[in-house]
Amino acid sequence: MYIDGEWCEAASGNRFEVTNPATGDVIGDVPDGGAADATRAVEAADRAFGAWSSTTAYERADLLYRAWQLMTERSAELAELMTREQGKPLKASAAEVKYGADFLRWYAEEATRVAGEWLPSARADQRFLVLKQPVGVVAAITPWNYPMSMLTRKMGPALAAGCTLVLKAAEATPLCAQAIFGVFADAGAPAGVVNLVTALDPKPIGEVFTTDERVRKLTFTGSTPVGKMLAGQAAGNLKRVSVELGGHAPFVVFPDADPEHAAKGAAALKFLNSGQACISPNRLYVHESGRDAFVETLVERIGRVKAGNGMDDGVGVGPLVNDAAVAKVARQVDDARAKGAGVPVGGQRLTGDGFDAGHFYAPTLVTDVTDDMLIRCEETFGPVAPVITYGDGDDVLAMANDTNYGLAAYVYTNDLSTAMRTFEGLRFGIVGINDVNPTSAAAPFGGMGDSGLGREGGRDGIAEYLEVKLGGFAI
Ligand code: ADP
C-alpha cells in the first residue's frame, strides 16, 4: 500500500494473491489492509491537506503534467500489466492507458482555470465574491473493469482542485492501482497527498471512508447496490457524494438508419472489455424493416470475434472477471433461450485448451428478446448482444427509457429531427448519436436514476471536488 509517501504493509501483516483471469496463474500478491490502515491513510491525507490546498494551481498542474508524462512513457508496461491482471486484449489496455493519462493532462490544464465570480449586489455598499475551494480529504473506491482510468478520472480532478485523497482499489486489480500510485510517487507527489489501500474485504475500508469525520467527500465507481449503500452511509454523515454505477444501455436503430452500419457499431461497442462496461449496450432495438440486415451483419461480425488470452494476437474478447460473472451471463442467456429467444452465435461457456483455466464466455448474439426475459432488465456485464425488434406501432423512445438505470444510450438515425428529439427525450446521462464512443476526459460522464449521482470528466468533473464560498463585503 502507499500511505504518507511510503510503500508499506498492512498493519495485520497479511497479504492476498492476485490471479490472471485468462490463465488462473497467480501473478502477484499485495497487502490485505483493514480499518486501521484506512484510518492511517485518512490521517495522512488530512495532515497533507493544509499544505497541498495552499499550493498554487500551477504547482498542482505541474504534478499532474509530470504524472501524465510518466504514465505515457510507461504505457507499454502498464498495458501489459493490465492485460495480465484484468484480461482485456492488449490493444484495449493500451487504449485505456491513454484514456487514463488523458485525465491527468486535461486536469493539469483545468487546474489553472478554476475561477470564482464577482457578482453585482442590489446594495451600493455591498460586493459579492464567489470563491471555489477544495472540499478536503477525498475517499475513492474504484472497480476492476477499468483498473487504471477509473483511478485517474478521480485523482486528476481531486488533485487539481487542491484535495488530498485516499483510494481503495478493487480486490481483483490492485497491481494496476499500485502502478498508478507508482506514477504519482515518481512524479513527486508530496507525502500524504495520494494514499492507496488494498484489501480483500472492502467493507471495513468503506466504513472508515463513509464515517471518518476527516473525509469530506466519497467518490465511488462500481455496482448499484454497493453504491447506494455507501452513498447512504456517507450522506448520513453529510459528506459530498458522487457515485457512478450500473447501466442498461439501449441502442436504438431507427428505420431511416443503415442497419448494417448500425450493426457494425453495435458489434464494435458491445464486445469492448468483454461487455464488462457500465456503458455497454444491453438492449439493441431495431425496427422490423432493418431487422434481418442488422442481425445478419451482427452474426457475421460476432462470428469473427476471437476470444482468448488478451496477450495473444488477434484476440478481440478476453476473459470475464471471475466464475460468478460467467455464471451470471450463462443464466441470462439460458433464461432467454428457454423463453423462446434465438441464439444464432455463441451461447455457451468456452471450454478446452486455453479456456479451462480462465473465465471465458463465447461472444453471443441473442435475438427476439422479450420483456419477460432476465436479460431485458438485468445488467449483463458480459459479451452478449440482445436484439429486440420493434414495429411502427411501438413507441421505441418509451421502450428505451423503460429502465431504472440512466447511464448511456445510443441512437442510429439519419434524420436530424429524430436525432434531436431522441437526444432530448432519452433519460440517460450520455447519448451517442451515430457514435459508439461518446467519452473523453473533456466530457462529463455520469448517469441518472440508479446509474448514479455526479459527473466525472470535463468542467463538471472538477466541480465535484470544489466547495462554493460566498463572500459579502460591505465597503
Ligand atoms: P463489481 O460488481 O463491479 O465488482 P462492486 O460494487 O462490488 O462492483 O465493486 C466495486 C468496488 O466497490 C470495488 O473496489 C469493491 O471492493 C468495492 N466494494 C464492494 N463492496 C463494498 C463495501 N461493502 N464497502 C466498500 N466497498 C465495497
Side-chain angles (χ1 to χ4, degrees):
M1 302 192 291
Y2 187 73
I3 299 178
D4 210 7
E6 309 257 342
W7 292 99
C8 59
E9 291 298 322
S12 67
N14 295 339
R15 297 178 70 86
F16 67 98
E17 289 180 342
V18 184
T19 53
N20 179 329
T23 62
D25 294 340
V26 173
I27 54 169
D29 61 322
V30 299
D32 186 6
D37 303 291
T39 303
R40 203 160 71 76
V42 170
E43 275 162 16
D46 187 50
R47 261 196 315 274
F49 179 71
W52 182 247
S53 58
S54 308
T55 55
T56 66
Y58 287 89
E59 289 172 85
R60 298 196 293 276
D62 282 347
L63 173 67
L64 289 170
Y65 274 123
R66 281 196 298 276
W68 164 68
Q69 206 159 15
L70 282 178
M71 197 168 166
T72 305
E73 279 166 25
R74 295 176 189 178
S75 55
E77 62 189 90
L78 292 173
E80 264 190 41
L81 170 64
M82 196 188 301
T83 294
R84 279 193 293 123
E85 189 180 40
Q86 194 272 342
K88 67 186 69 177
L90 200 51
K91 248 168 97 176
S93 293
E96 182 182 337
V97 172
K98 162 131 193 3
Y99 177 58
D102 279 352
F103 286 98
L104 303 180
R105 181 172 55 178
W106 203 87
Y107 282 108
E109 292 158 354
E110 193 66 3
T112 60
R113 315 254 186 278
V114 175
E117 273 185 301
W118 184 261
L119 298 172
S121 164
R123 268 172 38 207
D125 71 330
Q126 187 184 45
R127 303 290 180 271
F128 283 129
L129 186 62
V130 176
L131 177 67
K132 305 279 177 70
Q133 290 183 308
V135 293
V137 174
V138 171
I141 298 180
T142 52
W144 48 266
N145 60 341
Y146 287 88
M148 291 189 187
S149 59
M150 293 302 98
L151 278 68
T152 55
R153 186 150 92 170
K154 299 181 187 307
M155 296 170 84
L159 297 192
C163 297
T164 56
L165 172 134
V166 292
L167 185 143
K168 192 205 75 67
E171 48 276 29
T173 54
L175 300 177
C176 283
Q178 286 182 342
I180 293 297
F181 275 74
V183 162
F184 277 93
D186 295 346
V193 168
V194 292
N195 304 275
L196 170 69
V197 180
T198 50
L200 196 51
D201 178 6
K203 257 204 190 131
I205 317 285
E207 271 161 26
V208 171
F209 283 8
T210 51
T211 56
D212 192 301
E213 280 178 6
R214 291 162 294 194
V215 173
R216 295 315 316 149
K217 153 133 195 143
L218 174 75
T219 171
F220 170 87
T221 301
S223 63
T224 296
V226 175
K228 276 188 179 171
M229 187 271 292
L230 290 173
Q233 250 167 265
N237 294 311
L238 291 186
K239 298 187 193 308
R240 293 269 295 266
V241 169
S242 41
V243 287
E244 200 267 280
L245 310 175
H248 205 270
F251 182 107
V252 180
V253 186
F254 279 95
D256 66 84
D258 172 357
E260 284 177 30
H261 179 60
K264 286 175 191 167
L269 174 65
K270 178 69 232 188
F271 299 98
L272 281 180
N273 213 15
S274 304
Q276 302 173 116
C278 45
I279 60 168
S280 193
N282 223 125
R283 293 170 285 145
L284 309 179
Y285 292 101
V286 60
H287 187 265
E288 58 197 3
S289 60
R291 188 260 181 207
D292 289 352
F294 185 73
V295 167
E296 243 170 62
T297 307
L298 278 176
V299 167
E300 190 259 324
R301 289 273 156 152
I302 297 173
R304 272 204 253 152
V305 178
K306 188 174 154 199
N309 187 326
M311 292 303 246
D312 297 341
D313 268 355
V315 164
V317 165
L320 297 187
V321 62
N322 54 31
D323 265 342
V326 176
K328 181 180 181 194
V329 172
R331 187 168 56 86
Q332 288 188 6
V333 173
D334 295 346
D335 166 81
R337 198 188 262 126
K339 290 174 180 160
V343 185
V345 191
Q348 76 286 334
R349 184 185 183 130
L350 291 171
T351 53
D353 247 9
F355 295 125
D356 281 344
H359 318 289
F360 290 93
Y361 196 87
T364 297
L365 180 64
V366 179
T367 61
D368 310 299
V369 169
T370 49
D371 281 353
D372 56 334
M373 298 175 185
L374 291 174
I375 203 164
R376 158 67 187 79
C377 38
E378 273 185 10
E379 189 174 33
T380 303
F381 242 59
V384 181
V387 175
I388 302 170
T389 309
Y390 70 94
D392 286 335
D394 293 319
D395 180 352
V396 73
L397 183 60
M399 292 163 84
N401 277 335
D402 185 19
T403 172
N404 291 332
Y405 290 113
L407 190 56
Y410 305 88
V411 174
Y412 271 73
T413 178
N414 287 316
D415 182 86
L416 186 58
S417 306
T418 304
M420 194 54 79
R421 249 198 330 272
T422 318
F423 175 53
E424 287 181 1
L426 283 165
R427 283 196 303 272
F428 294 80
I430 303 164
V431 182
I433 307 279
N434 300 323
D435 183 17
V436 293
N437 188 18
T439 57
S440 152
F445 184 109
M448 304 176 181
D450 277 359
S451 291
L453 296 171
R455 294 294 179 269
E456 294 191 301
R459 277 199 302 275
D460 300 282
I462 198 166
E464 304 281 345
Y465 299 94
L466 293 167
E467 288 283 10
V468 176
K469 182 183 283 180
L470 173 70
F473 294 79
I475 57 171

Coordinates of all heavy atoms in Angstrom, one line a residue, residues 377-426:
C377 N -33.9 -6.8 -18.5 CA -33.8 -5.8 -17.4 C -32.6 -5.8 -16.5 O -32.2 -4.8 -15.9 CB -35.1 -5.8 -16.6 SG -35.7 -7.5 -16.3
E378 N -31.9 -7.0 -16.5 CA -30.7 -7.1 -15.6 C -29.5 -6.7 -16.4 O -29.3 -7.0 -17.6 CB -30.5 -8.6 -15.2 CG -31.1 -9.0 -14.0 CD -30.7 -10.5 -13.6 OE1 -29.8 -11.0 -14.2 OE2 -31.4 -11.0 -12.8
E379 N -28.6 -6.0 -15.7 CA -27.3 -5.6 -16.4 C -26.6 -7.0 -16.7 O -26.5 -7.8 -15.8 CB -26.5 -4.7 -15.4 CG -25.2 -4.2 -16.1 CD -24.5 -3.2 -15.2 OE1 -24.4 -3.3 -14.0 OE2 -23.9 -2.2 -15.8
T380 N -26.0 -7.1 -17.9 CA -25.3 -8.4 -18.2 C -23.9 -8.4 -17.8 O -23.4 -9.4 -17.3 CB -25.5 -8.7 -19.7 OG1 -26.9 -8.6 -20.0 CG2 -24.9 -10.0 -20.1
F381 N -23.1 -7.4 -18.2 CA -21.7 -7.3 -17.9 C -21.0 -8.5 -18.5 O -20.1 -9.1 -17.9 CB -21.4 -7.2 -16.4 CG -20.7 -5.9 -16.1 CD1 -21.3 -4.7 -16.4 CD2 -19.5 -5.9 -15.4 CE1 -20.6 -3.5 -16.0 CE2 -18.8 -4.7 -15.1 CZ -19.4 -3.5 -15.4
G382 N -21.3 -8.8 -19.8 CA -20.7 -9.9 -20.5 C -20.8 -9.8 -22.0 O -21.6 -8.9 -22.4
P383 N -20.2 -10.6 -22.8 CA -20.2 -10.5 -24.2 C -21.4 -11.0 -24.9 O -21.4 -11.9 -25.8 CB -18.9 -11.3 -24.6 CG -18.9 -12.4 -23.6 CD -19.4 -11.8 -22.3
V384 N -22.6 -10.4 -24.6 CA -23.8 -10.9 -25.1 C -24.6 -9.7 -25.7 O -24.8 -8.7 -25.0 CB -24.7 -11.6 -24.0 CG1 -26.0 -12.1 -24.7 CG2 -23.9 -12.7 -23.4
A385 N -25.0 -9.8 -27.0 CA -25.7 -8.7 -27.6 C -27.2 -9.2 -27.8 O -27.5 -10.1 -28.5 CB -25.1 -8.4 -29.0
P386 N -28.2 -8.6 -27.0 CA -29.6 -9.0 -27.1 C -30.4 -8.1 -28.1 O -30.4 -6.8 -27.9 CB -30.1 -8.8 -25.7 CG -29.0 -8.2 -24.9 CD -27.9 -7.7 -25.9
V387 N -31.0 -8.6 -29.1 CA -31.7 -7.8 -30.0 C -33.2 -7.9 -29.8 O -33.8 -9.0 -29.6 CB -31.4 -8.3 -31.5 CG1 -32.3 -7.6 -32.5 CG2 -29.9 -8.2 -31.8
I388 N -33.9 -6.7 -29.8 CA -35.3 -6.6 -29.7 C -35.9 -6.0 -30.9 O -35.4 -4.9 -31.3 CB -35.7 -5.8 -28.4 CG1 -35.0 -6.4 -27.2 CG2 -37.2 -5.6 -28.3 CD1 -35.1 -5.5 -25.9
T389 N -36.9 -6.6 -31.6 CA -37.4 -6.0 -32.8 C -38.7 -5.2 -32.4 O -39.5 -5.6 -31.6 CB -37.8 -7.1 -33.8 OG1 -36.7 -8.0 -33.9 CG2 -38.2 -6.5 -35.1
Y390 N -38.8 -4.0 -33.0 CA -40.0 -3.2 -32.8 C -40.6 -2.8 -34.1 O -40.0 -2.9 -35.2 CB -39.7 -1.9 -31.9 CG -38.9 -0.9 -32.6 CD1 -39.5 0.2 -33.3 CD2 -37.5 -0.9 -32.6 CE1 -38.7 1.2 -33.9 CE2 -36.7 0.1 -33.3 CZ -37.4 1.1 -33.9 OH -36.7 2.1 -34.5
G391 N -41.9 -2.4 -34.0 CA -42.6 -2.1 -35.3 C -43.1 -0.7 -35.3 O -42.8 0.1 -34.3
D392 N -43.9 -0.3 -36.3 CA -44.3 1.1 -36.5 C -45.2 1.5 -35.3 O -45.2 2.7 -34.9 CB -45.1 1.2 -37.8 CG -44.2 1.2 -39.0 OD1 -43.0 1.6 -38.8 OD2 -44.6 0.8 -40.1
G393 N -46.0 0.6 -34.7 CA -46.9 0.9 -33.7 C -46.2 1.1 -32.3 O -46.8 1.6 -31.4
D394 N -44.9 0.8 -32.2 CA -44.2 0.9 -30.9 C -43.6 2.2 -30.7 O -43.1 2.8 -31.6 CB -43.1 -0.2 -30.9 CG -43.7 -1.6 -30.9 OD1 -44.7 -1.8 -30.2 OD2 -43.1 -2.5 -31.6
D395 N -43.7 2.7 -29.4 CA -43.0 3.9 -29.0 C -41.6 3.5 -28.5 O -41.4 3.2 -27.4 CB -43.8 4.6 -27.9 CG -43.2 5.9 -27.5 OD1 -42.1 6.2 -27.9 OD2 -43.9 6.6 -26.7
V396 N -40.7 3.5 -29.5 CA -39.3 3.0 -29.1 C -38.6 3.9 -28.1 O -37.8 3.4 -27.3 CB -38.5 2.7 -30.4 CG1 -38.0 4.0 -31.0 CG2 -37.3 1.8 -30.0
L397 N -38.9 5.1 -28.1 CA -38.3 6.0 -27.1 C -38.8 5.6 -25.7 O -38.0 5.5 -24.7 CB -38.7 7.5 -27.3 CG -38.1 8.5 -26.4 CD1 -36.6 8.5 -26.5 CD2 -38.6 9.9 -26.8
A398 N -40.1 5.3 -25.5 CA -40.6 4.8 -24.2 C -40.0 3.5 -23.9 O -39.6 3.2 -22.7 CB -42.1 4.7 -24.3
M399 N -39.8 2.6 -24.9 CA -39.2 1.3 -24.6 C -37.7 1.5 -24.1 O -37.3 0.9 -23.2 CB -39.2 0.5 -25.9 CG -40.6 0.0 -26.3 SD -40.6 -0.6 -28.1 CE -40.1 -2.2 -27.9
A400 N -37.0 2.4 -24.8 CA -35.6 2.6 -24.4 C -35.5 3.2 -23.0 O -34.6 2.9 -22.2 CB -35.0 3.6 -25.4
N401 N -36.5 4.0 -22.6 CA -36.5 4.7 -21.3 C -37.0 3.8 -20.2 O -37.0 4.1 -19.0 CB -37.4 6.0 -21.3 CG -36.6 7.2 -21.9 OD1 -35.4 7.2 -21.8 ND2 -37.3 8.1 -22.4
D402 N -37.5 2.6 -20.6 CA -38.2 1.7 -19.6 C -37.1 1.0 -18.7 O -37.0 -0.3 -18.9 CB -39.1 0.7 -20.3 CG -39.9 -0.1 -19.3 OD1 -40.0 0.3 -18.2 OD2 -40.4 -1.2 -19.7
T403 N -36.4 1.7 -17.9 CA -35.4 1.1 -17.0 C -35.2 2.1 -15.9 O -35.4 3.3 -16.0 CB -34.1 0.8 -17.8 OG1 -33.1 0.4 -16.8 CG2 -33.6 2.1 -18.5
N404 N -34.7 1.6 -14.7 CA -34.4 2.5 -13.6 C -33.0 3.0 -13.8 O -32.6 4.0 -13.2 CB -34.4 1.7 -12.3 CG -35.8 1.4 -11.9 OD1 -36.8 2.1 -12.3 ND2 -36.0 0.3 -11.1
Y405 N -32.2 2.4 -14.7 CA -30.9 2.9 -15.0 C -30.9 4.1 -15.9 O -31.9 4.3 -16.6 CB -30.0 1.8 -15.6 CG -29.6 0.7 -14.7 CD1 -30.2 -0.6 -14.9 CD2 -28.8 0.8 -13.6 CE1 -29.8 -1.7 -14.1 CE2 -28.4 -0.2 -12.8 CZ -28.9 -1.5 -13.1 OH -28.6 -2.5 -12.3
G406 N -29.9 4.9 -16.0 CA -29.9 6.0 -16.9 C -28.5 6.5 -17.2 O -28.2 7.7 -17.1
L407 N -27.6 5.6 -17.6 CA -26.2 6.0 -17.9 C -26.0 6.3 -19.4 O -26.0 7.5 -19.7 CB -25.2 4.9 -17.4 CG -23.8 5.3 -17.4 CD1 -23.5 6.5 -16.6 CD2 -22.9 4.2 -16.9
A408 N -25.9 5.3 -20.2 CA -25.6 5.6 -21.6 C -26.8 5.1 -22.5 O -27.4 4.1 -22.2 CB -24.3 5.0 -22.1
A409 N -27.0 5.7 -23.7 CA -27.9 5.3 -24.7 C -27.3 5.6 -26.0 O -26.5 6.5 -26.1 CB -29.2 6.0 -24.5
Y410 N -27.7 4.9 -27.0 CA -27.1 5.0 -28.4 C -28.3 5.1 -29.4 O -29.2 4.3 -29.2 CB -26.2 3.9 -28.7 CG -25.1 3.7 -27.7 CD1 -25.3 2.9 -26.6 CD2 -23.9 4.4 -27.8 CE1 -24.3 2.8 -25.6 CE2 -22.9 4.3 -26.8 CZ -23.1 3.5 -25.7 OH -22.1 3.4 -24.8
V411 N -28.1 5.9 -30.4 CA -29.2 6.1 -31.4 C -28.5 6.1 -32.8 O -27.5 6.8 -33.0 CB -29.9 7.4 -31.1 CG1 -30.9 7.7 -32.2 CG2 -30.5 7.5 -29.8
Y412 N -29.1 5.4 -33.7 CA -28.7 5.5 -35.1 C -29.9 6.0 -35.9 O -31.0 5.4 -35.9 CB -28.3 4.1 -35.6 CG -26.8 3.8 -35.4 CD1 -26.3 3.6 -34.1 CD2 -25.9 4.0 -36.5 CE1 -25.0 3.4 -33.9 CE2 -24.5 3.8 -36.2 CZ -24.1 3.5 -35.0 OH -22.7 3.3 -34.7
T413 N -29.7 7.1 -36.5 CA -30.7 7.7 -37.4 C -30.0 8.7 -38.3 O -28.9 9.2 -38.0 CB -31.8 8.5 -36.6 OG1 -32.7 9.1 -37.5 CG2 -31.2 9.6 -35.7
N414 N -30.6 8.9 -39.5 CA -30.0 9.9 -40.4 C -30.9 11.2 -40.5 O -30.7 12.0 -41.3 CB -29.9 9.3 -41.8 CG -28.7 8.4 -41.8 OD1 -27.6 8.7 -41.3 ND2 -28.9 7.2 -42.4
D415 N -31.9 11.2 -39.6 CA -32.9 12.3 -39.6 C -32.6 13.2 -38.5 O -32.6 12.8 -37.3 CB -34.3 11.7 -39.5 CG -35.4 12.8 -39.5 OD1 -35.8 13.1 -40.7 OD2 -35.7 13.3 -38.5
L416 N -32.4 14.5 -38.8 CA -31.9 15.4 -37.8 C -33.0 15.6 -36.7 O -32.7 15.7 -35.5 CB -31.6 16.8 -38.5 CG -31.0 17.9 -37.6 CD1 -29.7 17.4 -36.9 CD2 -30.8 19.1 -38.4
S417 N -34.3 15.7 -37.1 CA -35.3 15.9 -36.1 C -35.4 14.7 -35.1 O -35.5 14.8 -33.9 CB -36.7 16.1 -36.7 OG -36.6 17.1 -37.6
T418 N -35.3 13.5 -35.7 CA -35.3 12.3 -34.9 C -34.1 12.3 -33.9 O -34.3 12.0 -32.7 CB -35.3 11.0 -35.7 OG1 -36.3 11.1 -36.7 CG2 -35.4 9.7 -34.9
A419 N -33.0 12.7 -34.4 CA -31.8 12.7 -33.6 C -32.0 13.7 -32.4 O -31.7 13.3 -31.3 CB -30.6 13.1 -34.4
M420 N -32.5 14.8 -32.7 CA -32.6 15.9 -31.7 C -33.7 15.5 -30.7 O -33.5 15.6 -29.5 CB -33.0 17.2 -32.4 CG -32.8 18.4 -31.5 SD -31.2 18.5 -30.7 CE -30.3 19.2 -32.0
R421 N -34.9 15.0 -31.2 CA -36.0 14.6 -30.3 C -35.5 13.5 -29.4 O -35.8 13.5 -28.2 CB -37.2 14.1 -31.2 CG -38.4 15.1 -31.1 CD -39.7 14.5 -31.5 NE -39.5 13.4 -32.5 CZ -39.5 13.6 -33.8 NH1 -39.6 14.8 -34.3 NH2 -39.4 12.6 -34.7
T422 N -34.8 12.5 -29.9 CA -34.4 11.4 -29.1 C -33.4 11.8 -28.1 O -33.4 11.4 -27.0 CB -33.8 10.3 -30.1 OG1 -34.7 10.2 -31.2 CG2 -33.8 8.9 -29.4
F423 N -32.4 12.6 -28.6 CA -31.4 13.1 -27.6 C -32.0 13.8 -26.4 O -31.7 13.6 -25.3 CB -30.5 14.1 -28.4 CG -29.4 14.7 -27.5 CD1 -28.6 14.0 -26.7 CD2 -29.3 16.1 -27.5 CE1 -27.6 14.6 -25.9 CE2 -28.4 16.7 -26.7 CZ -27.5 16.0 -25.9
E424 N -33.1 14.6 -26.7 CA -33.7 15.3 -25.6 C -34.6 14.4 -24.8 O -34.7 14.6 -23.6 CB -34.6 16.5 -26.2 CG -33.8 17.6 -26.7 CD -34.6 18.8 -27.2 OE1 -35.9 18.7 -27.2 OE2 -34.0 19.8 -27.7
G425 N -35.2 13.4 -25.4 CA -36.2 12.5 -24.7 C -35.6 11.4 -24.0 O -36.3 10.8 -23.1
L426 N -34.4 11.0 -24.2 CA -33.8 9.8 -23.5 C -33.4 10.3 -22.1 O -32.8 11.3 -21.9 CB -32.6 9.3 -24.3 CG -32.9 8.4 -25.5 CD1 -31.7 8.3 -26.4 CD2 -33.5 7.1 -25.1

